[in-house]
Amino acid sequence: MAGPAPTSLAGRAAAPMDAAAVLFHDAPLAIYLRAPDGSFLEVNRAMAQLFGYDSPGQFLEAMAAFPDQHYLDPASRRAVLDELAATGFVTGRQYQAMGRDGFVLWVEESARLVDAGGDEHYYFGYLRDITAEKSTKWALTEAEEKYRAIFEHAVEGLFQMTPAGRFVTVNDALCAMLGFPAATALTDDPEAAARLFVDDGTRRGLTLALEEADMVRALDAELRRADGTRIWVSIHARAVRDGNGRVVLHEGSMVDVTERRLSQEQLRQSLARTSLLFHQTVTSLSKTVRYRDPYTAGHQDSVSRLATAMARRLGLSADEAAGIRVAGQLHDIGKIVVPVRYLCKPGRLVGLEWEFMRQHAQAGYEILKEIDFPWPVAAVVWAHHERLDGSGYPRGLSGPDIPLGARILAVADVLDAMASNRPYRPALGVAAALEELARHRGTGFDAAAVDAARSVIRDGLIRY
Amino acid sequence: MAAKRILTVDDAESVRSLVSRTLGQAGYDIVEAVDGADALDKVAGGVDLVITDINMPGMGGLELLGRLRQRPDTRFTPVLVLTTESQSAMRRQAVAAGATGWIVKPFEPASLVALVRRFLS
């Protein structure tokens, strides 16, 4: 409560002045004089204001009408008066009282008996408003209680431990997680935290990270439980420092992530198996043509390698390049519909023979189209003999209608065919192949794909 | 005569149980609520007096006061504020919102009973 306003002495200069009365009325402490029966004889301004009255006169009037009204509990009024009567004084009696506006405050009352001479006695006393002190203390306990409730009821394991590895506080969730019956099993053992980590390097890493960065998030660690079984936890922690900046405590939480790690590991293994199975299947499919034409199987492997290298050189993603690798391995699969005598014919194909041979692109598409590859493998195989100027087959597509994968594959296919021995002629050589591609750069073949082929061969990524 | 019904609103369980015990022993019928919204649900049964905290997660005491004063069934129900707030600005706000009385924590059990008696006699 605010103290009384200082009295303006200037206005009273002419009147005779009683120094004691001025002291009494202007003191910032609430002061009263009361009769042995408890009725108030006089109170100062601070006392009146403490209970919400404008003047001492108002206060005295109100108390005369209802003597105990500012004592919320009649027993506390009685207790003060009884003690005064018995011993002559009370000291630091604390209780709750109510002001005029319904505001209940905490006051501390002290009083003593004054002998005024003769048979005259009265009590002199003073009150201190201690509401703010009381409520602040209580607010602190309330906050502490809330914190403790959070700590005790948390689902996560919460801990505080010294950098040396001694647990200072742990909650029930942490005990349960680590298989200890009570918190003391962890806090009483100076080595408990140190023994917890399966890999001591993890603990040293944690200590070091907190020393340097003050905060560690989602650090996975393998821990030993009380019964020797192991679990994986994810640790969040922060460093608490003393006045000199020295780390004195690590505090944070641990969550059991054993299940998550197990399922992640299983998922990783299953993914690896599926991936292996996929590539084995593609390779087997690619080899089926070997029984009809040994040359084609090797050719598919080489084209696949060359086209993949070109795709990477063109800046395609690893995933897109993987799609081109598969399309390369399977691009001639349709040759199983071509009669063997045409495949192995030592001379040039003529007429109907050539018509048969051209069917392999369409047949490859028919064989592959039902497979749900994560890439457009069938479409690329279908178009790998198309040419930019529309002179290719089987559909005579041109320019942008030809998938990028097919444009890369077309260049790799021609280059490998010319650079290798064929049943009908010896190898023409890489230089001749590159010259031929350069002649049709931008007309028959994609310019960027031709450049990519030249550069991967120049850099020795693919050798002939 | 049926016992008077008092609704105590506080997010701290210890305070609720302290109020419940104190006033329960004095013969009152106590209903507990954990915040303003919970309190609004529970006044529907009819209460004679409300004792509320100011600072609570969700709906606090001042908003609860405003809402109670808007409802026909609780417009004149005495509402005592029991809080750790001792600032006069907050007190004026509560009085403006319709608070009947104000008591800071901690409370002396006898004082709380005496205060409640004043408003329910």
Side-chain angles (χ1 to χ4, degrees):
Chain A
M1 306 229 98
T7 312
S8 166
L9 296 173
R12 301 186 188 173
M17 200 170 73
D18 178 351
V22 171
L23 255 176
F24 179 80
H25 280 291
D26 285 357
L29 196 64
I31 309 173
Y32 66 75
L33 297 174
R34 71 204 300 188
D37 70 353
S39 61
F40 284 97
L41 301 171
E42 187 135 33
V43 299
N44 72 347
R45 263 195 287 277
M47 177 88 176
Q49 281 181 359
L50 181 60
F51 290 98
Y53 295 92
D54 293 334
S55 69
Q58 267 189 13
F59 179 88
L60 292 174
E61 239 173 77
M63 290 302 143
F66 302 100
D68 60 355
Q69 71 166 287
H70 83 259
Y71 290 92
L72 257 181
D73 177 11
S76 47
R77 175 178 187 262
R78 198 65 262 156
V80 169
L81 292 175
D82 286 352
E83 196 171 338
L84 277 171
T87 66
F89 60 88
V90 293
T91 312
R93 176 70 61 103
Q94 297 187 348
Y95 59 90
Q96 283 183 288
M98 187 165 77
R100 193 163 65 148
D101 60 355
F103 181 78
V104 175
L105 60 159
W106 274 99
V107 290
E108 187 183 83
E109 183 167 359
S110 298
R112 65 183 170 84
L113 182 69
V114 177
D115 187 348
D119 268 348
E120 213 181 325
H121 291 93
Y122 59 87
Y123 297 133
F124 169 81
Y126 51 91
L127 273 73
R128 206 161 63 84
D129 182 356
I130 55 166
T131 310
E133 290 166 30
K134 283 274 188 183
S135 66
T136 305
K137 247 187 233 164
W138 181 267
L140 275 175
T141 24
E142 225 175 82
E144 262 171 34
E145 183 199 305
K146 277 179 198 172
Y147 168 75
R148 205 174 40 247
I150 292 170
F151 184 79
E152 280 163 9
H153 298 143
V155 183
E156 295 90 4
L158 301 179
F159 64 89
Q160 288 183 310
M161 66 171 152
T162 64
R166 178 178 192 135
F167 278 116
V168 178
T169 43
V170 295
N171 69 347
D172 291 348
L174 188 76
C175 292
M177 196 164 94
L178 297 174
F180 288 94
T184 47
L186 283 163
T187 51
D188 287 355
D189 174 3
E191 301 294 319
R195 244 200 316 271
L196 208 57
F197 288 82
V198 170
D199 171 20
D200 198 53
T202 310
R203 196 175 76 85
R204 282 199 305 273
L206 176 71
T207 308
L208 212 63
L210 287 175
E211 179 67 49
E212 280 166 15
D214 271 346
M215 183 71 98
V216 167
R217 292 177 206 280
L219 172 79
D220 276 9
E222 195 178 16
L223 303 184
R224 267 185 216 99
R225 301 179 77 244
D227 62 4
T229 55
R230 294 178 179 192
I231 55 169
W232 279 92
V233 295
S234 175
I235 301 177
H236 282 61
R238 68 179 198 100
V240 178
R241 293 176 188 274
D242 65 8
N244 300 321
R246 210 164 50 92
V247 176
V248 288
L249 219 54
H250 296 164
E251 65 177 21
S253 67
M254 296 182 186
V255 181
D256 187 341
V257 294
T258 311
E259 291 286 317
R260 190 191 78 197
R261 285 196 62 112
L262 275 178
S263 59
Q264 269 175 351
E265 179 60 19
Q266 280 164 355
L267 203 63
R268 205 186 56 74
Q269 285 178 359
S270 135
L271 202 65
R273 270 199 307 276
T274 308
S275 174
L276 183 66
L277 187 66
F278 170 78
H279 287 290
Q280 286 168 340
T281 307
V282 168
T283 309
S284 296
L285 198 56
S286 173
K287 279 179 183 163
T288 51
V289 291
R290 172 176 302 188
Y291 295 100
R292 316 190 71 241
D293 175 15
Y295 160 76
T296 301
H299 166 70
Q300 289 189 129
D301 288 346
S302 319
V303 167
S304 179
R305 271 197 300 279
L306 176 55
T308 308
M310 288 164 62
R312 300 304 281 273
R313 182 54 52 100
L314 286 167
L316 271 61
S317 70
D319 180 64
E320 288 169 310
I324 287 173
R325 175 180 159 206
V326 170
Q329 276 184 296
L330 299 173
H331 76 278
D332 275 345
I333 189 84
K335 283 192 176 166
I336 60 170
V337 304
V338 181
V340 175
R341 61 182 183 281
Y342 302 155
L343 289 177
C344 305
K345 187 180 171 189
R348 289 184 69 87
L349 298 176
V350 292
L352 203 59
E353 297 168 346
W354 181 234
E355 289 303 315
F356 259 110
M357 185 58 98
R358 281 164 60 120
Q359 272 182 10
H360 84 275
Q362 180 72 36
Y365 171 70
E366 299 293 338
I367 291 167
L368 300 173
K369 71 178 179 189
E370 302 300 337
I371 303 177
D372 191 12
F373 288 104
W375 316 280
V377 173
V380 167
V381 167
W382 199 8
H384 81 276
H385 275 291
E386 301 288 359
R387 295 291 176 260
L388 287 188
D389 54 13
S391 65
Y393 64 86
R395 289 172 290 167
L397 300 178
S398 60
D401 293 339
I402 306 169
L404 175 62
R407 284 185 259 157
I408 294 171
L409 215 53
V411 171
D413 189 25
V414 167
L415 196 148
D416 184 74
M418 289 182 71
S420 314
N421 293 313
R422 307 302 293 246
Y424 50 88
R425 57 149 175 74
L428 299 170
V430 180
L434 287 174
E435 256 174 56
E436 171 73 7
L437 286 169
R439 249 194 305 284
H440 301 285
R441 182 180 179 278
T443 50
F445 299 107
D446 186 283
V450 171
D451 296 344
R454 189 199 311 281
S455 99
V456 297
I457 284 170
R458 183 197 59 213
D459 294 351
L461 292 176
I462 302 293
R463 295 175 192 282
Y464 282 95
Chain B
M1 200 179 78
K4 300 270 191 183
R5 228 172 143 77
I6 297 173
L7 174 66
T8 170
V9 192
D10 205 303
D11 56 320
E13 201 205 318
S14 63
V15 175
R16 287 200 309 273
S17 73
L18 212 57
V19 171
S20 294
R21 217 155 3 121
T22 304
L23 296 176
Q25 275 169 13
Y28 295 102
D29 186 8
I30 312 296
V31 185
E32 294 184 17
V34 297
D35 65 7
D38 190 20
L40 284 177
D41 285 341
K42 287 171 176 166
V43 288
V47 297
D48 299 294
L49 184 120
V50 177
I51 299 178
T52 182
D53 190 12
I54 288 285
N55 296 315
M56 290 178 286
M59 191 194 294
L62 286 180
E63 192 184 343
L64 171 64
L65 256 170
R67 298 279 195 97
L68 289 174
R69 290 303 174 236
Q70 280 166 12
R71 293 168 59 128
D73 58 334
T74 56
R75 183 165 297 156
F76 302 110
T77 308
V79 178
L80 298 180
V81 173
L82 173 60
T83 178
T84 51
E85 291 283 346
S86 59
Q87 288 172 13
S88 52
M90 186 68 91
R91 238 170 91 193
R92 278 195 296 277
Q93 251 181 295
V95 170
T100 321
W102 183 287
I103 179 167
V104 293
K105 297 174 196 170
F107 60 85
E108 216 165 55
S111 298
L112 184 67
V113 173
L115 187 67
V116 165
R117 263 202 197 112
R118 276 189 198 209
F119 290 106
L120 286 182
S121 57

